[in-house]
Amino acid sequence: MATEVKVPTLGESVTEATVGEFLKQPGDAVAADEPIMSLETDKVAVEAPSPVAGVIESFKVEVGETVEVGAVIAVIAEGAAPAATNGEQAGRAEQQREEGNEKREDGGNASSDDGSVTMSPAVRRAVIEHGVDPTTIKGSGKDGRLTKEDVVAAAKAKGSDGSASTSAPAPAAAPAPSAKGERREERVKMTRMRQTIAKRLKGAQEEAALLTTFNDCDMTAVIEARNAYKDMFAKKHGIKLGFMSFFAKAAALALKDVPAVNAQIDGDEIVYHDYVDLSVAVSAPNGLVVPVVRSIDQMSFAEIELAIADYGKRAKEGSLKMEDMAGGTFTISNGGVFGSLMSTPIINPPQSAVLGLHRIEDRPVAVNGEVVIRPMMYLALSYDHRIIDGREAVTALKIMKEAIEDPMRMLIDL
């Protein structure tokens, strides 16, 4: 008996997705609810599971194809996988695998004549995330193709002994070196998420009256507090005490005092919020995503750190859901983790402001008439001047600065 696999419900107002990659091949056995392919929406990548246990008979779509909710994307033959001794069934499965591979424009990964490696999207993301050299890894897939598991295993082996794994046999012959001065290009179709990011950011620039105000912040007090309590904090709450929870609390304090920075425009009305739903920009394989920590003004430091850590982990795994990124009244983006000294972040519509954090570096500053070296960070608040006046933006950023420089303010609501 054959069962059709259909595109699952993707989320409110989301009606279509793009086929990202096949996680299985025709002829492979699958369990009920086991993912067989990934689908990319405007915001997240979701997995399409098999509704029954059986064998993949065929795929009805190709990588890169746009599919609507409810469309048939695969057919599953219910029952056990064909026995390896059954020549006719095994041969048919092998033929289906070959046909499935041919349909995938960027589906596999293999070494080309010039020594380069063509990788599937999942493998390419894993290579970038783990920082390994794909040409040094022996693939376990068909025809020696790399799989995501091969990359993860190589990364673990490298991390355990400080070098690449030596268990894999060396290639029979070294690839021919590229000609000196040879120039290459690679043309890759933008993912649906990247296209949406591009449209939203460009739309924010065209619609909002963007302006950025800057300040610098002495991180001494926060660093001292963190060093003093980080061990007890981790022991009690099971999570490290980071800087983000301090800035989240400081932002909540400022947004309560300057509500326009936490508001948004809806038609000819301004919507003010008496709560703070914080969008935290985190890096995902397909681009930047902004999951929302809700009612952060009511949360403890530990609750904030746990929520942000969970979102960061799920972003890397590609397991964020549509509802995780819905809403949000204010955004914090931390470019400092990548070494940024200063930037002008773009607001996340329909929000009206975003706080940009940057790297901490020792700089000479004047304190009580003396030049001293302090750990300083530049802060940037980009805002929509249609709704937020300069005085309000500067005041809000100043409150955040003062709260970080004197964390006691956050405890006594000053």
Side-chain angles (χ1 to χ4, degrees):
M1 178 180 176
T3 300
E4 294 179 337
V5 182
K6 298 181 179 180
V7 177
T9 300
L10 301 172
E12 184 180 357
S13 75
V14 180
T15 60
E16 62 181 23
T18 300
V19 178
E21 62 176 314
F22 296 142
L23 306 178
K24 294 288 186 177
Q25 289 297 309
D28 289 348
V30 294
D33 297 324
E34 183 177 4
I36 63 171
M37 72 171 64
S38 69
L39 302 171
E40 296 178 354
T41 69
D42 292 348
K43 294 185 177 180
V44 295
V46 297
E47 294 177 338
S50 171
V52 296
V55 176
I56 297 179
E57 189 173 284
S58 63
F59 286 117
K60 300 300 182 181
V61 293
E62 299 181 10
V63 170
E65 183 176 338
T66 298
V67 292
E68 296 184 351
V69 173
V72 177
I73 53 178
V75 176
I76 306 293
E78 295 185 41
T85 56
N86 189 324
E88 181 179 355
Q89 289 180 322
R92 182 162 53 250
E94 179 65 21
Q95 181 180 0
Q96 289 175 331
R97 288 192 189 96
E98 293 293 341
E99 292 173 352
N101 284 334
E102 291 173 0
K103 288 182 179 180
R104 297 169 65 187
E105 296 178 354
D106 190 23
N109 44 73
S111 297
S112 60
D113 293 337
D114 60 6
S116 62
V117 177
T118 304
M119 297 174 287
S120 71
V123 174
R124 184 180 294 112
R125 289 197 295 268
V127 166
I128 294 173
E129 178 180 343
H130 294 285
V132 297
D133 182 356
T135 62
T136 64
I137 306 173
K138 182 176 176 60
S140 62
K142 189 180 185 305
D143 297 329
R145 297 177 185 272
L146 289 183
T147 66
K148 183 178 180 180
E149 289 72 21
D150 295 332
V151 175
V152 173
K156 289 182 178 179
K158 181 178 180 181
S160 62
D161 60 13
S163 60
S165 174
T166 57
S167 59
S178 302
K180 185 177 181 180
E182 183 179 355
R183 291 152 55 90
R184 299 180 185 173
E185 292 181 352
E186 181 183 7
R187 190 175 295 270
V188 180
K189 184 177 180 180
M190 293 174 67
T191 63
R192 178 177 291 270
M193 184 185 296
R194 175 53 61 183
Q195 293 179 46
T196 300
I197 291 172
K199 292 178 181 177
R200 286 176 60 85
L201 294 183
K202 186 59 180 174
Q205 285 185 318
E206 293 176 348
E207 182 176 354
L210 289 177
L211 192 62
T212 303
T213 184
F214 299 94
N215 214 320
D216 61 355
C217 179
D218 186 344
M219 296 290 291
T220 300
V222 165
I223 291 174
E224 290 177 349
R226 181 173 178 267
N227 289 338
Y229 299 108
K230 63 181 182 181
D231 292 337
M232 288 186 288
F233 187 90
K235 184 177 180 180
K236 180 176 182 179
H237 301 292
I239 187 70
K240 292 181 179 179
L241 176 60
F243 294 127
M244 184 60 79
S245 55
F246 284 93
F247 280 102
K249 280 290 190 181
L253 189 67
L255 300 181
K256 289 292 185 179
D257 285 353
V258 190
V261 182
N262 194 43
Q264 65 187 51
I265 294 176
D266 184 11
D268 59 355
E269 297 179 330
I270 299 176
V271 180
Y272 293 95
H273 307 96
D274 66 351
Y275 54 87
V276 179
D277 285 352
L278 183 67
S279 300
V280 182
V282 295
S283 182
N286 289 337
L288 199 68
V289 293
V290 279
V292 180
V293 183
R294 305 186 193 283
S295 297
I296 202 166
D297 51 310
Q298 303 296 322
M299 299 173 70
S300 68
F301 278 72
E303 290 171 332
I304 294 172
E305 292 290 354
L306 287 167
I308 293 175
D310 177 62
Y311 277 143
K313 178 176 179 291
R314 289 163 57 194
K316 289 183 178 179
E317 295 172 346
S319 59
L320 288 174
K321 299 179 180 179
M322 298 291 292
E323 53 266 31
D324 293 330
M325 286 172 285
T329 62
F330 183 78
T331 295
I332 295 181
S333 178
N334 186 6
V337 296
F338 304 109
S340 172
L341 175 65
M342 187 179 292
S343 68
T344 55
I346 300 178
I347 64 173
N348 178 27
Q351 297 174 22
S352 300
V354 53
L355 174 66
L357 308 182
H358 303 90
R359 74 170 185 249
I360 303 170
E361 63 177 8
D362 289 340
R363 292 201 299 269
V365 295
V367 178
N368 297 325
E370 296 183 357
V371 176
V372 296
I373 303 299
R374 292 292 177 86
M376 304 297 293
M377 177 195 288
Y378 287 117
L379 305 179
L381 183 71
S382 291
Y383 59 98
D384 188 346
H385 212 341
R386 297 178 302 166
I387 181 176
I388 303 170
D389 294 332
R391 175 183 57 82
E392 294 171 315
V394 171
T395 299
L397 188 59
K398 186 171 179 286
I399 292 173
M400 297 179 204
K401 165 188 166 71
E402 292 174 343
I404 294 297
E405 293 183 338
D406 182 7
M408 185 62 70
R409 287 173 172 266
M410 291 183 274
L411 299 179
I412 59 178
D413 195 16
L414 288 178

